[in-house]
Amino acid sequence: MAGYQSTYRVQLSGAFGFAAARVAVPYLADLGVSHLYTSPILRARSGSAHGYDVVDPTQVSPELGGEAGLRELVAALRDHGMGLIVDLVPNHMTTSNESPWWVETLRGGPGAEAARVFDIDWEAGGGKVRLPVLGGPLEQVADQVRVGDGWVTYHEHRFPMAPGTGRLDQQHYELVEWRRAAVDLNYRRFFTVNDLIGVRQEDPEVYLRTHATVLRLVAEGLVDGVRVDHIDGLADPAAYLRRLAAEVPFVVVEKILEDGERLPPWPVAGTTGYEFLAVADGVLVDRAAAGAFAEGYRQLTGDDPDPAAVALACKRERLARDFGSEVAGVARHLPGDQATNRAAVAELAARLPVYRTYVTDVISDTDRHLVAEAAAAARPALEAAGAAALDRLVAALTLEAPAPEAVRRFQQLSGPAMAKGVEDTALYRDTRLLARNEVGGNLAVFGRPVAELHQANTEREAHWPQSMLATSTHDTKRGEDVRARLAVLSERPARWWPLAASWTERLGHGVVPADALLLWQTMAGAWPLERSRCLAYMEKAVREAGLHTTWTDPNPPYEQAVAALVARAYADRAFLAELEVLVAGLAPAGRVKAAALALLRLTSPGIPDTYQGTETEQLVLVDPDNRHPVTFKGDTSLKFQVTRTALRLRRDHPELFTGYRPLDAPDHLVAFTRGNDRMVVVATRLGTSPRGLGGRAGFGGPGPAGPAESIDLPPGPWHDLLSGARHPGGPTPAGQLLAALPHALLVRA
């Protein structure tokens, strides 16, 4: 089997299990992939579309084909010289009666052996776990609850009864209204998903129970590595990863790094690559258009949002609306008044500039600085009593006044607050250019300089050379091809904003202009887009934004207005004609950018991951739209050519993918060498700039080739694997280098 050179992510389900994946193996091998990378393979809830709702981590999923099916898949992979990396979900399991451990816990209460698996604060619940499943208070729906035959039944929900009991009030659980999940729930959830309960991986026995099967698969040579889902949910990520890395040869973690943040010194290969996505996406956006987009947005919406203020407001809202239980859980473990403790916890969590800190019985200088920075920002927003509570919380986090439960719970709260506040709220509010609104991105920056990409690549090669590189995942807000097309708008503000204003004035009545702008970009980015997909996306987007409707408190009149807007757009022939003309101009340049993004991912330091189907154009939106079945079939596109050529080169000549040296290049290009100057990459990032597609002198730009328009290639001769052209080396005009194609992948001839 080849070393870890590349991965190809597939989403497994009952409709696409191990047998279906096995059929795709020859295609993936021909593509040049070294490792298949799958969504979770352990037993999930029946009918699961994604596998993250695990019910039994001791079994390979029967719906996917069971262990026998897995072995057949691995045999096919080995026959083609490939390996297998699987997604692992240590943070949570499902509160389902399909889970034997959950059933045992409900039946036996805190004394049950299985109860140690789940992160339940039994004391806070008076010895019971609160289950937020009722449609209203118990006294209002009591006639819908059935007790008998060893089970309590409420509609589709079934709960086991304790032995020798016959009444609901004798159980080790309390059935409560679903809204109480945000107020006084006493178990840790995955974000705001009530039926995903936290698992106590800090308990060595729980770790052994939940990991026995996957570690056996690794030991037997069936699994070559794991991706750890939501590492920030665990009580002590570093300790967990030390245990895991001792038995698994390749580990990457799903960890969102903010700008300037560095991965802690964990024993892992790196992250799943969102920080690369942010920078690589950024170089495709024309930074010179920042002012034009701010002005266009201000004229259309009347708003000029400060991204930091929007993020803070969204985090505060989500903490107040959705995370009251978790905030109270931290506050309970601090001394002093509980109301002021809760205020301090919420404000410090909102102000924390990263997903979380990693305080255990020691605190790093980095975390000490982060806590101090957040506390200084939080203090002015608190009353005197709240400021005193903030001091108590800070003393706990900095280990001056030990309160380990408060520290653990705060660190497990701040990540969900960031994720829900920024990823799932703020990214749906600031709609000025949706190409930027992505997981791991930063709305405070409009595009990124090429130098930032070079710096990130240089650092990764030096410190995390096997970190994963991603441009699309199952969690991205829109597919890479949609983002690439929308990035072209940054080069055409004079074309875009009059159209957006005209469409909004003509069709946008009944909804706020920012939501109309969201629709125009969604249609322009993903066109041709079926109306049903568009409508489903818009409903999700406005609920996530939370300004006019939410998931928990839908506002039917506003949602009907959004649906009416979509209907008007799809029925308006003049609008559709203008949209078609716009897309006809955007799409070719978008494909140039998408191929550039693929080339950067496939050749930069790290292990590139190709999300299912994205070797070709996939005009998809947020989940579940991005999880549809794919054909595993190539095409004649430049993007497929780039992907297949680069993946095969990585597989056959891994020695070329070491080292990293930036090359000076015209501003609309990115250029670097690898393999001790034995490979050169040149990518066109601004394909419609005056020096790009507008000229006749190829993609390198028109005009005389002075030093600023040339790239100084190392001594050749060079062979471009994409165009077939040959170059002698030395100063080479960009127009000559890119005469046939907008990108070049050069190796020594």
Side-chain angles (χ1 to χ4, degrees):
M1 183 192 72
Y4 300 97
Q5 292 299 324
S6 63
T7 61
Y8 188 101
R9 170 73 179 217
V10 296
Q11 295 297 114
L12 299 174
S13 67
F16 186 85
F18 298 137
R22 190 173 74 246
V23 173
V25 168
Y27 167 78
L28 298 179
D30 179 76
L31 197 60
V33 173
S34 76
H35 286 73
L36 180 67
Y37 162 38
T38 72
S39 55
I41 65 170
L42 301 179
R43 186 183 171 199
R45 187 201 305 264
S46 295
S48 174
H50 46 74
Y52 290 95
D53 42 2
V54 176
V55 297
D56 187 352
T58 71
Q59 289 187 56
V60 175
S61 170
E63 283 196 5
L64 300 182
E67 191 162 326
L70 175 65
R71 289 180 181 276
E72 291 174 354
L73 170 60
V74 173
L77 291 168
R78 298 295 188 244
D79 286 345
H80 288 81
M82 295 171 62
L84 177 65
I85 293 170
V86 302
D87 207 335
L88 185 64
V89 190
N91 177 72
H92 53 266
M93 290 177 58
T94 306
T95 58
S96 164
N97 58 28
E98 293 185 68
S99 169
W101 295 345
W102 181 242
V103 170
E104 180 185 340
T105 298
L106 294 185
R107 184 172 282 136
E113 178 62 24
R116 68 190 300 169
V117 171
F118 302 109
D119 196 350
I120 300 169
D121 189 342
W122 294 98
E123 182 180 354
K128 299 188 177 190
V129 58
R130 296 190 184 109
L131 305 180
V133 298
L134 302 179
L138 178 60
E139 59 271 18
Q140 294 181 13
V141 298
D143 60 331
Q144 302 169 39
V145 178
R146 302 285 181 263
V147 179
D149 298 324
W151 292 86
V152 173
T153 304
Y154 174 72
H155 297 293
E156 72 274 18
H157 303 285
R158 298 180 76 237
F159 311 98
M161 297 176 66
T165 64
R167 299 195 315 273
L168 181 58
D169 62 4
Q170 293 177 305
Q171 306 313 308
H172 297 291
Y173 48 84
E174 178 186 3
L175 303 186
V176 300
E177 183 182 7
W178 65 272
R179 289 184 181 276
R180 286 181 60 181
V183 180
D184 60 356
L185 196 67
N186 66 324
Y187 63 83
R188 181 170 62 88
R189 302 172 290 172
F190 171 69
F191 293 176
T192 57
V193 185
N194 295 341
D195 57 3
L196 294 179
I197 184 170
V199 172
R200 300 179 59 253
Q201 295 292 351
E202 63 270 26
D203 182 335
E205 178 60 31
V206 172
Y207 174 85
L208 292 174
R209 279 188 175 208
T210 54
H211 287 69
T213 295
V214 73
L215 294 179
R216 175 176 59 80
L217 297 175
V218 171
E220 292 182 17
L222 296 172
V223 171
D224 302 295
V226 301
R227 173 232 196 224
V228 179
D229 182 65
H230 191 43
I231 188 66
D232 278 348
L234 304 187
D236 188 348
Y240 170 83
L241 291 169
R242 285 193 294 270
R243 288 194 295 265
L244 190 66
E247 300 185 73
V248 181
F250 180 85
V251 177
V252 291
V253 292
E254 184 197 30
K255 166 64 187 170
I256 311 299
L257 296 169
E258 296 298 294
D259 280 0
E261 185 183 9
R262 298 295 182 266
L263 189 66
W266 292 335
V268 297
T271 73
T272 54
Y274 285 110
E275 69 279 4
F276 172 80
L277 184 157
V279 178
D281 264 7
V283 300
L284 303 183
V285 172
D286 190 348
R287 300 169 68 216
F293 270 73
E295 180 60 24
Y297 194 73
R298 184 164 48 246
Q299 290 185 5
L300 185 69
T301 68
D303 193 16
D304 184 13
D306 170 28
V310 172
L312 176 62
C314 291
K315 290 172 75 175
R316 282 173 168 166
E317 286 176 27
R318 297 307 291 257
L319 282 158
R321 186 174 77 216
D322 300 323
F323 292 110
S325 297
E326 289 78 5
V327 168
V330 181
R332 275 197 301 273
H333 294 278
L334 292 171
D337 177 70
Q338 290 301 290
T340 53
N341 281 351
R342 289 193 294 271
V345 168
E347 189 62 18
L348 189 67
R351 294 284 186 171
L352 198 69
V354 296
Y355 276 70
R356 67 164 284 176
T357 53
Y358 300 96
V359 180
T360 54
D361 54 352
V362 295
I363 180 172
S364 67
D365 290 341
T366 297
D367 284 347
R368 191 179 299 277
H369 172 76
L370 287 169
V371 171
E373 178 186 347
R379 193 172 301 279
L382 297 169
E383 303 285 346
L390 177 65
D391 290 337
R392 295 192 291 271
L393 176 57
V394 169
L397 288 167
T398 56
L399 305 179
E400 296 171 12
E405 271 297 290
V407 171
R408 174 179 76 85
R409 291 171 182 273
F410 180 83
Q411 294 183 131
Q412 290 175 307
L413 164 65
S414 62
M418 175 75 87
K420 299 305 291 183
V422 177
E423 292 176 30
D424 290 348
T425 307
L427 292 187
Y428 290 92
R429 290 190 180 179
D430 182 347
T431 61
R432 74 185 80 189
L433 180 62
L434 297 181
R436 308 179 308 139
N437 296 33
E438 196 47 86
V439 179
N442 182 355
L443 291 179
V445 299
F446 192 97
R448 298 187 188 242
V450 172
E452 185 175 348
L453 175 69
H454 286 318
Q455 180 182 352
N457 280 349
T458 300
E459 288 188 12
R460 192 181 318 105
E461 175 63 16
H463 302 292
W464 304 99
Q466 289 194 311
S467 192
M468 195 174 276
L469 308 178
T471 47
S472 287
T473 76
H474 60 287
D475 283 331
T476 42
K477 299 303 179 187
R478 49 191 55 80
E480 62 194 55
D481 297 292
V482 175
R483 298 197 312 274
R485 186 189 287 181
L486 290 174
V488 179
L489 293 177
S490 70
E491 301 179 59
R492 305 182 184 183
R495 171 88 170 104
W496 167 243
W497 284 107
L499 270 179
S502 170
W503 293 341
T504 303
E505 181 179 5
R506 196 164 81 234
L507 300 170
H509 50 276
V511 305
V512 296
D515 287 343
L517 186 60
L518 175 72
L519 175 62
W520 313 143
Q521 290 181 77
T522 298
M523 295 179 74
W527 196 259
L529 175 65
E530 298 91 332
R531 177 175 165 180
S532 59
R533 290 173 55 210
C534 183
L535 182 59
Y537 173 79
M538 287 299 296
E539 179 183 85
K540 178 170 182 172
V542 296
R543 286 182 175 181
E544 294 281 37
L547 288 172
H548 308 285
T549 185
T550 68
W551 292 104
T552 52
D553 288 294
N555 177 0
Y558 191 77
E559 293 188 5
Q560 290 163 9
V562 170
L565 171 62
V566 173
R568 286 196 300 275
Y570 274 80
D572 191 296
R573 292 184 178 180
F575 164 75
L576 292 177
E578 291 173 336
L579 177 67
E580 293 274 7
V581 171
L582 175 69
V583 170
L586 296 179
R591 292 185 183 111
V592 170
K593 287 182 184 286
L597 191 61
L599 184 60
L600 293 175
R601 167 172 47 83
L602 294 161
T603 59
S604 291
I607 306 296
D609 175 53
T610 301
Y611 184 70
Q612 60 179 27
T614 59
E615 64 273 21
T616 61
E617 186 174 69
Q618 300 289 317
L619 299 175
V620 296
L621 304 171
V622 75
D623 73 281
D625 194 65
N626 62 1
R627 303 184 187 188
H628 65 82
V630 297
T631 60
F632 300 104
K633 183 179 180 181
D635 59 21
T636 60
S637 67
L638 176 61
K639 188 182 186 189
F640 182 75
Q641 181 191 2
V642 164
T643 302
R644 188 168 183 258
T645 302
L647 283 175
R648 286 179 158 204
L649 188 64
R650 291 189 71 98
R651 179 194 63 194
D652 298 339
H653 295 283
E655 72 279 2
L656 296 180
F657 293 85
T658 58
Y660 186 85
R661 185 170 73 88
L663 289 178
D664 289 336
D667 183 63
H668 67 290
L669 303 179
V670 179
F672 54 85
T673 78
R674 301 206 63 195
N676 196 24
D677 285 356
R678 288 175 294 170
M679 181 178 80
V680 174
V681 175
V682 181
T684 297
R685 69 184 187 95
L686 298 179
T688 58
S689 68
R691 302 187 185 279
L693 295 180
R696 296 295 298 169
F699 292 89
E709 300 306 320
S710 296
I711 296 176
D712 191 2
L713 298 177
W718 293 96
H719 176 215
D720 186 351
L721 298 179
L722 298 178
S723 71
R726 293 182 178 268
H727 304 280
T732 305
Q736 175 182 322
L737 193 60
L738 304 176
L741 293 174
H743 316 303
L745 178 56
L746 307 174
V747 296
R748 288 269 172 79

